[in-house]
Amino acid sequence: MENKKLKLDRGEYRRGLKEGIPAGFGYLPVSMACGVASCKAGIAFGMSQFMSIMMYTASGQAAAINLLVGGETAVFMFALTLFVMNCRYLLLSLSIAQRFDSSMGTIQRILFGLFNTDETFGIAMKNKGKLNFSYLIGLVIPPYIGFLIGNAAGCLLNDILPKSISSALGIVLFAMFIGIIVPPARDSKPVLAVTIIALTISFILECIPFIKQHLTAGWIIILCAVITSLIGAILFPVEDKDEKSNNDDKLIEEKEEK
Amino acid sequence: MSTMNFIFAVLSMAAVMIFFRVMPLLFFKGKIKNKFLNSFLAYVPYAVLTSMTFPEVFHSTSSVTSATFGVIVAIVLSYFEQSLIVVALSSTASVFIVEQVMKFMTK
């Protein structure tokens, strides 16, 4: 990996933009919910935008808002919660890095990495073959812009809305999380089992007064997630899908060559 | 938490995000071979989202009853493959309706 000049291939960049725009629109409701939640929690408009610009993660920001509302005061706890929540980026980044072509030098990797998310990862991985910088940078720009616009709109909306609607909006992020969890849990037994285990542990931890008194909400989430994922990893080891799909790609390439 | 402290909290969280997003792209060229670690990482998102959602969701609106309705609507709609927008908005709408009905009934 050596340093390469930043050059953009216009066609590839446009192709990236085109594929990124739907994801940008898709982020509007998520980030609006995030904006509503943050401003409802008493975070100032500017601070809420600052969070979005710097963090760019709806689930992470929601967790941070929950911690703040729960009275968490330790900066370390905020960082640790985000750390546990985002371990998965290790996986995403590792598997997408396998597909980079030679245009991805150090600067290119940093620029792309800063704006990469689960969704852009998902779209990029649908491409057959190698990924180049022009395409990838085009792909990640619209979702970031969509996210920032949505967050700001959510904050503004929170000020205008009557109390009855604002109360109902309290559920919006949680409903979204349910929407993320349910489809994979329906399709995969291990994920369903993991979800049920997490649910059970979370309720149990909530019910034990000793834990409630001594651990903040952040610790309970971390504890629950680590215990559950350990149980999941022991009971349902995951097959290495990447290796399989890589082999498939190779097969396809070989066929094309023929 | 003071504003200054919260700014530090946001900066530290941003640092964590940047660490995870950028570092693996720069420093790891190979794959994680360890099957156990791979499985653990694969389950983390579901475990985190579930424990974040439950039981807090039941206190996210002005009553447990309305929140329960919202949860049921969200689960049913997402089970039938509705988009996130539809799930979120329908759940919110059902909470709103239940709360209005409850107000109407108790007065």
Side-chain angles (χ1 to χ4, degrees):
Chain A
M1 202 192 334
E2 64 273 34
N3 289 322
K4 298 221 164 72
K5 276 192 185 159
L6 282 173
K7 261 195 279 177
L8 280 184
D9 174 316
R10 288 210 131 201
E12 282 296 292
Y13 175 70
R14 286 229 173 131
R15 186 167 74 86
L17 276 183
K18 243 185 208 165
E19 292 185 15
I21 285 170
F25 278 106
Y27 271 178
L28 283 177
V30 189
S31 52
M32 273 175 81
C34 220
V36 170
S38 61
C39 287
K40 216 179 141 190
I43 294 171
F45 180 83
M47 184 69 90
S48 172
Q49 308 321 309
F50 178 63
M51 277 177 87
S52 282
I53 293 167
M54 297 300 290
M55 293 168 65
Y56 185 34
T57 160
S59 57
Q61 284 166 236
I65 294 161
N66 279 351
L67 286 179
L68 188 73
V69 171
E72 182 62 60
T73 51
V75 169
F76 170 73
M77 251 339 270
F78 284 84
L80 185 64
T81 306
L82 265 276
F83 188 90
V84 172
M85 287 181 73
N86 291 290
C87 283
R88 68 175 191 286
Y89 269 105
L90 273 179
L91 275 183
L92 300 191
S93 296
L94 279 174
S95 61
I96 204 168
Q98 319 277 320
R99 304 272 296 269
F100 287 165
D101 74 359
S102 57
S103 65
M104 296 300 281
T106 307
I107 305 166
Q108 286 84 350
R109 284 171 187 246
I110 293 174
L111 280 177
F112 167 71
L114 285 176
F115 299 101
N116 187 26
T117 66
D118 303 79
E119 279 72 18
T120 52
F121 166 82
I123 298 168
M125 293 305 268
K126 278 182 192 158
N127 281 275
K128 291 261 154 67
K130 295 278 177 192
L131 300 165
N132 61 68
F133 175 69
S134 306
Y135 165 76
L136 287 172
I137 207 70
L139 175 67
V140 295
I141 288 172
Y144 187 62
I145 294 173
F147 190 84
L148 297 186
I149 292 175
N151 190 73
C155 273
L156 295 175
L157 211 64
N158 183 58
D159 291 340
I160 309 166
L161 293 175
K163 219 187 151 202
S164 54
I165 295 181
S166 153
S167 154
L169 274 172
I171 202 168
V172 97
L173 272 179
F174 292 113
M176 213 158 270
F177 291 158
I178 292 175
I180 296 172
I181 302 164
V182 170
R186 179 198 54 199
D187 297 334
S188 147
K189 285 226 171 85
V191 173
L192 179 65
V194 164
T195 310
I196 292 172
I197 295 168
L199 198 72
T200 316
I201 295 178
S202 184
F203 271 102
I204 292 173
L205 292 180
E206 186 79 9
C207 291
I208 302 174
F210 176 81
I211 286 180
K212 262 294 220 190
Q213 279 159 18
H214 291 85
L215 292 182
T216 54
W219 279 113
I220 294 181
I221 291 172
I222 290 170
L223 197 63
C224 177
V226 171
I227 296 173
T228 308
S229 306
L230 280 177
I231 297 175
I234 293 167
L235 294 182
F236 317 104
V238 175
E239 294 300 319
D240 195 348
K241 277 180 204 155
D242 254 24
E243 217 141 73
K244 267 187 204 160
S245 63
N246 275 350
N247 287 340
D248 288 349
D249 285 353
K250 273 178 203 157
L251 281 180
I252 292 168
E253 277 166 26
E254 277 167 19
K255 268 181 195 166
E256 279 169 358
E257 275 168 23
K258 277 171 194 170
Chain B
M1 194 171 210
S2 71
T3 307
M4 211 49 216
N5 260 349
F6 191 61
I7 290 178
F8 280 127
V10 172
L11 289 178
S12 66
M13 290 186 286
V16 171
M17 293 309 296
I18 291 169
F19 173 81
F20 275 125
R21 282 178 169 147
V22 176
M23 288 305 148
L25 296 184
L26 291 181
F27 293 116
F28 299 102
K29 286 192 171 169
K31 276 190 223 168
I32 303 177
K33 291 275 184 210
N34 187 318
K35 200 174 181 185
F36 185 79
L37 188 60
N38 260 326
S39 311
F40 178 81
L41 290 175
Y43 292 128
V44 164
Y46 304 108
V48 169
L49 285 180
T50 308
S51 57
M52 261 175 71
T53 306
F54 299 98
E56 278 82 1
V57 61
F58 295 110
H59 306 295
S60 67
T61 66
S62 39
S63 80
V64 177
T65 320
S66 63
T68 308
F69 270 93
V71 169
I72 293 170
V73 167
I75 291 177
V76 171
L77 287 180
S78 51
Y79 186 90
F80 291 107
E81 207 82 38
Q82 298 299 314
S83 69
L84 281 187
I85 306 169
V86 175
V87 171
L89 290 184
S90 311
S91 169
T92 309
S94 67
V95 169
F96 179 76
I97 293 167
V98 170
E99 285 182 357
Q100 295 311 305
V101 170
M102 278 166 60
K103 244 188 229 165
F104 185 68
M105 302 296 260
T106 46
K107 235 187 177 178

